[in-house]
Amino acid sequence: RAPVPPVRVQVPAIGADMEVVPVGVEPNGAMELPVDPAVAGWYRFGPDPWSPDGNTVIAAHIDAPDYPIGPFANLRDLPADAEITVTASDGSTAAYAVATVTYYPKQELPTEALFAREGTRALVLITCGGNFDETTGHYDDNVVVVATPRS
């Protein structure tokens, strides 16, 4: 089946309601992200939210020069079972419930597991977190939310 790109992600518990655009991979191997922290990127080479298995990955910057703090800045505050809704351009929706919120040092991010194309269906939301390193211009950690389909 052809993938169904998500166009919106909503996380009411933190007031997030964001446009989602398809993204790929940067030359350095990192996931491409929209510059504006108010816009999230869906990893278009992985499963979509309506795939029967694998992880749908949606990520956004926590902040960026010349932009306000993004909605994903509050991912770290999500309680277990908080609802997340992903919407497609045709209006269909997929509902998820937060299972875990984890901080990973960037060099320890389990990318193979998070970007899995097979296995149990899940939604993975990713942003930066931890301390900001002014010398590198990056945060030390990634905040990763894993959510499971609501039945």
Side-chain angles (χ1 to χ4, degrees):
R1 85 177 177 65
V4 181
V7 297
R8 181 153 305 286
V9 62
Q10 296 169 300
V11 190
I14 59 169
D17 184 354
M18 302 170 68
E19 176 186 1
V20 177
V21 297
V23 297
V25 180
E26 296 280 355
N28 68 2
M31 181 176 167
E32 186 179 42
L33 291 178
V35 174
D36 184 347
V39 178
W42 163 62
Y43 184 66
R44 71 179 188 263
F45 300 119
D48 65 44
W50 299 272
S51 294
D53 52 21
N55 293 340
T56 300
V57 179
I58 296 176
H61 287 297
I62 192 170
D63 59 15
D66 303 322
Y67 290 93
I69 300 292
F72 273 15
N74 295 317
L75 284 182
R76 65 180 181 260
D77 299 326
L78 277 174
D81 290 329
E83 184 173 317
I84 301 170
T85 303
V86 182
T87 305
S89 57
D90 67 3
S92 59
T93 61
Y96 295 86
V98 171
T100 61
V101 178
T102 308
Y103 274 74
Y104 291 101
K106 285 194 185 264
Q107 61 275 29
E108 296 175 23
L109 189 68
T111 52
E112 241 179 80
L114 296 176
F115 287 80
R117 294 181 181 157
E118 297 176 345
T120 305
R121 180 177 162 230
L123 174 67
V124 177
L125 304 180
I126 303 173
T127 196
C128 292
N131 294 318
F132 183 76
D133 183 340
E134 293 198 24
T135 59
T136 65
H138 298 285
Y139 287 87
D140 292 338
D141 300 326
N142 283 115
V143 178
V144 177
V145 173
V146 176
T148 56
R150 274 208 196 271
S151 36

